[in-house]
């Protein structure tokens, strides 16, 4: 029993199409992960900068940037806590 040539062509084309589709899906999902890591890193850097700031007005401004730009990060929560502490100290 001999397999037709179309069978082998179909196998080869299916393998190529599957590889291409898998490669494209992998490339599309990576940028999203990379963006999340970049957001986290930038928010952390701003929080560190705010922590080192001596001037309270400048510190509040930096913490506000974190809340505006990166609201869905743990650093936004920490920034909000820090703002609340500063407000409490001013009273």
């Amino acid at each position: 029993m001999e397999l037709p040539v179309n069978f082998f062509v179909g196998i080869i084309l299916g393998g190529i199409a599957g590889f291409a589709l898998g490669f494209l899906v992998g490339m599309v999902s990576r940028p999203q992960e990379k963006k999340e890591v970049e957001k986290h890193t930038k928010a952390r850097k701003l929080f560190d900068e705010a922590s080192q700031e001596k001037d309270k007005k400048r510190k509040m401004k930096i913490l506000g940037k974190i809340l505006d730009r990166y609201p869905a990060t743990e650093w936004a929560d920490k920034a909000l806590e820090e703002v609340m502490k500063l407000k409490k100290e001013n009273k």
Side-chain angles (χ1 to χ4, degrees):
M1 183 166 140
E2 201 172 298
L3 295 173
V5 174
N6 290 341
F7 177 75
F8 290 113
V9 171
I11 294 283
I12 292 170
L13 290 177
I16 292 171
F19 175 77
L21 182 63
F23 183 75
L24 290 174
V25 168
M27 293 303 291
V28 168
S29 65
R30 280 194 184 137
Q32 184 65 23
E33 293 170 1
K34 189 176 181 180
K35 286 180 185 178
E36 291 298 322
V37 170
E38 287 177 4
K39 276 185 177 181
H40 183 77
T41 303
K42 289 179 181 178
R44 187 179 135 260
K45 285 181 181 178
L46 275 175
F47 187 81
D48 290 342
E49 181 183 337
S51 297
Q52 295 173 357
E53 186 63 47
K54 301 288 184 199
D55 184 29
K56 287 185 179 182
K57 286 184 181 182
R58 174 89 174 118
K59 187 173 191 173
M60 293 282 278
K61 188 175 181 181
I62 295 170
L63 292 170
K65 283 182 185 179
I66 295 171
L67 293 170
D68 289 340
R69 294 180 187 172
Y70 313 105
T73 62
E74 67 180 276
W75 298 104
D77 295 337
K78 291 180 180 183
L80 187 58
E81 289 175 10
E82 193 67 29
V83 167
M84 290 169 48
K85 285 179 189 176
L86 289 172
K87 293 269 187 183
K88 200 174 198 181
E89 288 175 4
N90 285 340
K91 285 186 176 183

